Amino acid sequence: MLQHADGHDTVVEAAAAGRTAEGEIVLEETDENGSVSRLHTFRAGTVTAVFLRRPLDGGRHGWFPQPADGTWWCC
C-alpha cells in the first residue's frame, strides 16, 4: 500500500518494491520466465509511506511500514 503526498492511498500488487538512494519508490513484477519488469516509479516526495502486506501470527495478514528514508528492497 502506498500513501501519497496528496492524501490518497493506493493498494498495488507487485513482486517487489524498493526505495532508491534518490528517494524514488519503484515497483516491479516478475513473469513466469523470471524476467523482471518495472511496473511504476514514483518520484521522490510523491509517496509519504509504503506498507508491505505480510502474514501475522494465526494466518491473518497485516500492513508493515517500510523505512521512510534510506534505501531498501522488499519482496
Side-chain angles (χ1 to χ4, degrees), residues 12-18 25-42 73-75:
V12 179
E13 186 173 334
I25 303 298
V26 296
L27 303 174
E28 294 183 344
E29 67 177 8
T30 305
D31 69 14
E32 61 276 356
N33 298 316
S35 298
V36 176
S37 62
R38 188 161 289 186
L39 291 172
H40 198 74
T41 300
F42 296 91
W73 196 253
C74 61
C75 300

Side-chain angles (χ1 to χ4, degrees), residues 4-67:
H4 300 271
D6 66 5
H8 79 277
D9 296 344
T10 303
V11 175
V12 179
E13 186 173 334
R19 186 174 188 281
T20 68
E22 294 78 27
E24 292 179 324
I25 303 298
V26 296
L27 303 174
E28 294 183 344
E29 67 177 8
T30 305
D31 69 14
E32 61 276 356
N33 298 316
S35 298
V36 176
S37 62
R38 188 161 289 186
L39 291 172
H40 198 74
T41 300
F42 296 91
R43 290 188 325 263
T46 61
V47 175
T48 57
V50 177
F51 297 84
L52 177 64
R53 189 163 187 223
R54 288 276 169 108
L56 302 169
D57 291 339
R60 298 180 65 195
H61 284 76
W63 295 105
F64 292 85
Q66 299 305 295

